[in-house]
Amino acid sequence: MPEPSIKTPHSENQFADYRNFWWNKGFIDLMAKRIKLSKHTSLLDVGCGQCHWSKILTPYLGKPAYVVGVDKDPTWAKGSAELKRFFKDQAAWFELYQGDAMNLPFEDASFDIVTCQTVLIHVGNPTKAVEEMKRVLKPGGTILCVEPNNRIQSLLRTSESENTSIDEMVDHVKYALIVEQGKKRLGFGDNSLGDLLPGMLSKQGFEKIDVRLSDKAIVMVPPYDTQEQMATAKHWKKGNAGDAMNNSDLFYFEAFGDKYLSFYGEYHQKYEGHSERIFEALKNNDFHSAGGALMYLVSGKKPIH
């Protein structure tokens, strides 16, 4: 069963410029030292999209570097002249391939580091994807997976929700959980897989498993005039991730049959205009939020023997 069309585009389409502000450089500097990126010269970016993640990591690699991106979407697998120029300027040999995370088109033991960013949450069989990442990783090489717990977003407070009643908060959490579990039930991934990643790597035999949390928070306070704040507001207004009032969510409710359909209708009737009130508050400089998230960076080593 295909997902609704609004869900099918790669997250590059969904997040656009907002994706450029997911990381603090100081944190990446520290992370690169911890996993000794300078000792790695070959990198595979699984589910690369427009290579935002590999572009962040490449400057820290040993030189000359060899960077490969793979994505199932043929649009991203084509690349662009701008992308090629970036990696050339970084003294990195760069290639793109079309392929599936669960069946990577590479030989065993091909890369020093294999990595992905918010990819496993969209994979129907993340265990198989991790197995494939391990297969193409050299013995002693590093796996680095960046995945979130997204369910926590329904509990974060903003100026618009600070006086929300317990009953309303429970409704929002219930709605988010049904969408998350419906997506998982249909085989389209687990939006909060990040919590389970360390255990997944352990079961696959990875050693020296290390877990860190990103320190990034995009604070929304008036006058919302920084580049990242403007990109965030634009992202919200597109009505994609972060907008619980998306009617395509009905697809995930239907994964449970009739069990939650009445709640779906009641929820939308009860909280109609919820998003519009946030946009109005932004327009009037009345909205504020600390902008927290829960993003895990989980790394491990492939055993030498």
Side-chain angles (χ1 to χ4, degrees):
M1 181 185 297
E3 283 193 80
S5 59
I6 195 167
K7 298 288 184 178
T8 53
H10 191 284
S11 57
E12 297 291 350
N13 281 347
Q14 296 184 18
F15 292 111
D17 293 341
Y18 176 65
R19 198 180 182 97
N20 293 324
F21 303 101
W22 278 13
W23 301 100
N24 287 320
K25 185 179 182 302
F27 178 85
I28 296 294
D29 290 345
L30 182 59
M31 184 273 295
K33 290 181 180 178
R34 282 173 172 162
I35 64 175
K36 300 179 181 179
L37 274 181
S38 63
K39 295 185 180 295
H40 301 70
T41 56
S42 58
L43 178 146
L44 173 63
D45 185 0
V46 178
C48 61
Q50 293 184 13
C51 296
H52 277 86
W53 183 228
S54 46
K55 284 170 67 176
I56 288 173
L57 298 180
T58 296
Y60 299 93
L61 296 175
K63 301 296 186 292
Y66 174 51
V67 178
V68 177
V70 60
D71 200 286
K72 68 177 181 180
D73 190 327
T75 301
W76 309 132
K78 291 179 181 179
S80 66
E82 181 182 358
L83 198 57
K84 293 175 182 177
R85 281 195 301 270
F86 172 87
F87 287 102
K88 183 178 180 180
D89 291 344
Q90 293 295 325
W93 183 267
F94 174 64
E95 292 184 292
L96 281 170
Y97 292 85
Q98 183 179 359
D100 194 299
M102 293 181 286
N103 187 25
L104 295 173
F106 308 106
E107 295 183 0
D108 297 357
S110 295
F111 301 95
D112 295 332
I113 179 169
V114 179
T115 187
C116 64
Q117 176 180 252
T118 59
V119 170
L120 297 179
I121 60 171
H122 300 300
V123 173
N125 189 345
T127 298
K128 176 61 177 174
V130 171
E131 288 176 354
E132 277 290 277
M133 293 172 76
K134 182 182 180 183
R135 179 183 66 79
V136 302
L137 188 62
K138 295 178 181 179
T142 301
I143 187 171
L144 175 63
C145 300
V146 179
E147 303 290 343
N149 172 325
N150 279 321
R151 65 175 58 173
I152 197 172
Q153 295 300 315
S154 60
L155 285 169
L156 298 181
R157 298 176 69 191
T158 72
S159 56
E160 287 299 297
S161 65
E162 62 178 324
N163 295 317
T164 298
S165 69
I166 292 175
D167 288 343
E168 179 177 343
M169 182 59 67
V170 169
D171 281 348
H172 294 321
V173 172
K174 180 178 179 180
Y175 188 98
L177 287 174
I178 293 171
V179 170
E180 179 178 279
Q181 293 301 311
K183 177 181 177 180
K184 184 177 179 181
R185 177 173 287 211
L186 291 169
F188 297 131
D190 181 349
N191 285 342
S192 296
L193 183 71
D195 296 323
L196 306 178
L197 260 178
M200 290 177 63
L201 297 192
S202 177
K203 288 181 179 180
Q204 291 301 316
F206 284 98
E207 301 174 342
K208 298 181 180 178
I209 295 171
D210 186 64
V211 182
R212 305 286 171 175
L213 289 176
S214 170
D215 66 350
K216 184 64 181 183
I218 298 182
V219 181
M220 292 297 286
V221 292
Y224 323 115
D225 57 357
T226 68
Q227 288 186 331
E228 64 182 48
Q229 287 174 332
M230 289 187 286
T232 300
K234 182 179 179 181
H235 159 63
W236 287 353
K237 290 177 182 178
K238 288 181 72 174
N240 291 326
D243 184 0
M245 304 307 291
N246 191 331
N247 287 331
S248 67
D249 290 343
L250 177 60
F251 185 75
Y252 300 123
F253 275 74
E254 290 175 338
F256 298 92
D258 296 334
K259 184 175 182 179
Y260 296 117
L261 291 184
S262 60
F263 173 73
Y264 175 86
E266 293 166 2
Y267 181 91
H268 281 272
Q269 184 176 21
K270 189 183 298 184
Y271 303 114
E272 183 179 6
H274 175 78
S275 297
E276 286 72 14
R277 288 193 292 273
I278 292 177
F279 300 148
E280 186 66 22
L282 284 167
K283 180 180 178 180
N284 295 329
N285 286 337
D286 288 332
F287 182 87
H288 56 84
S289 168
L294 188 55
M295 183 75 82
Y296 295 96
L297 291 86
V298 184
S299 63
K301 293 287 185 179
K302 180 176 179 177
I304 296 177
H305 302 293

